[in-house]
Amino acid sequence: MSVEGEAPLIQLKGVEKQFGAFRALKGVDVEVARGEVVVVIGPSGSGKSTLIRCINGLEKHDGGSIIVDGIELHDAAELAEVRREVGMVFQQFNLFPQMTVLRNVTLAPMRVRGANRKAAVDIARRLLDRVGILEQAHKYPEELSGGQQQRVAIARALAMEPKAMLFDEPTSALDPEMINEVLDVMKDLAAQGMTMIVVTHEMGFAREVADRVLFMDGGKVVETGTPEHFFQNPTEDRTKLFLSKILRH
Amino acid sequence: MSQILTPAIVHALLRGAVLSVELSVLTYVLALLFGLIAALMRRSRVVVVRGLARFYIELFRGTPALVQIFFAYFATPQIFTWLNKVVFGPLSGGSVLLPPHLSPFAAAVTALSLGYGAYLAEVIRAGIESIHKGQVEAAASLGLGGNDIMRFVVIPPAVRIMIPPFGNYALALLKDSSLASTISVVELTLATERGIAYNYQPAMMWAAAAVIYLVLSMVASFLFVYFERIADPIHRRRGRRLTRLASADDEGTP
């Protein structure tokens, strides 16, 4: 997917993150090209979520460098700039409960991008239509199913017209029958060329959609490769062990 | 009966009730203000500011309201006199800045509003802290700034959570306003006592006072239930939809 010679959209070099005595990230190097879909897998506590949370500064990294679209994350000013360019979808949806679906999606474009109400509503309606939830626009989040809420959360992030999207276990809190409706939206997004980093346990999604799979364990990237390489002949023992555990049934 | 519950006594009780309400409402508004300031100070990054708020809250939550009222009324003349003589006098060239004492009403409002402010500060802090961290993170990840996050994402749902405890303290305050009777504010309790001195009917008079307090409490209670409803977006909208359906029905009927 990556175009030869073009600078990666997201570039992490030797990123370190410490929580008290616990080293969550131990010198992580990752590059993500424009339009690339990277799926991050690994056991819990391996640093997957911390990794993507560092990319938009929800966690402040303690060492190394993070560059997003040419902007290096240092202080508050750059943080605001990066957050406008990078959308994020959370495991728990985190929709704003006191706002309608429509207001959830229009808030940031109006407050951050300075869009007027009409423009923001137009964009929101287009995006809600795209994630198949336009008819629920005037409901409140708690009136929607988990899958619908997560699709609204995706639309909310897309409304800022981000250059990249981060997904932090987007289907882990969903009932099984709702997982596919969310994955379908994500597949559609990938097909349209969105740059994506997806932390997930959905191996089917990784196989089908990922350009590259990244296996993390103990705060390090242990192995990275195409889905074919990764699922058919992984080289690292830790990867094999992990895959044998999750692919057994 | 008509001899006992004379118009003059009824009138006196009602005047007392009005003063109780005035005292309570004014005190509550000030308490909200003190509570908000203290809650914000407790969230300050400056350790001294946080410490001051903590000190205020612990001091006023940890001492009886009656002691606070007595302090405000009986201790302030001595303190004001000393301050005028030693501090403000020399500073302003002999003129006296502080009044010789607080009026009973002012002393009651001051003491009760500071006392209830300490409780409300904790309600406000708890309300703000009850908002899930994920809400703030989602807003931040969308690029919203700190002020916008507070204004749109944290405060509206936090206020909704604060309403029931706000209601509790409003009712408690309405009843604690009777403590002002001890420093000669002629609110409902003192008005009742004085009425009894005329008609010697303690049973009937205290029952009447209790009923008036109860009615006032119920009004306050309903008011807070109403606040809860309008702060709940889904109930509010259902209410609107029902009204709309009803009016559509009216229009549809030939």
Side-chain angles (χ1 to χ4, degrees), chain A residues 21-38:
Chain A
F22 177 66
R23 277 180 79 194
L25 297 178
K26 301 172 185 166
V28 173
D29 301 306
V30 177
E31 288 190 354
V32 182
R34 268 167 225 279
E36 196 178 18
V37 177
V38 174

Side-chain angles (χ1 to χ4, degrees), chain A residues 24-25 28 39-55 88 167-169 172 197-201 203 214-220 242:
Chain A
L25 297 178
V28 173
V39 168
V40 185
I41 64 172
S44 56
S46 59
K48 317 180 293 282
S49 290
T50 306
L51 175 77
I52 65 170
R53 287 166 61 83
C54 281
I55 293 173
M88 185 152 186
F167 292 85
D168 189 2
E169 301 200 24
S172 297
I197 303 181
V198 184
V199 173
T200 188
H201 297 296
M203 295 304 141
L214 207 136
F215 174 66
M216 286 187 74
D217 194 12
K220 284 182 179 159
F242 178 73

Side-chain angles (χ1 to χ4, degrees), chain A residues 2 10 12 27-33 36-42 51 196-198 206 210-217 220-240 242-243:
Chain A
S2 68
I10 297 170
L12 284 78
V28 173
D29 301 306
V30 177
E31 288 190 354
V32 182
E36 196 178 18
V37 177
V38 174
V39 168
V40 185
I41 64 172
L51 175 77
M196 294 162 59
I197 303 181
V198 184
D211 296 307
R212 200 145 51 90
V213 177
L214 207 136
F215 174 66
M216 286 187 74
D217 194 12
K220 284 182 179 159
V221 177
V222 175
E223 185 162 5
T224 173
T226 62
E228 295 76 37
H229 157 83
F230 200 82
F231 290 108
Q232 277 150 30
N233 40 35
T235 45
E236 298 290 328
D237 288 342
R238 271 191 288 176
T239 317
K240 287 175 193 163
F242 178 73
L243 288 175

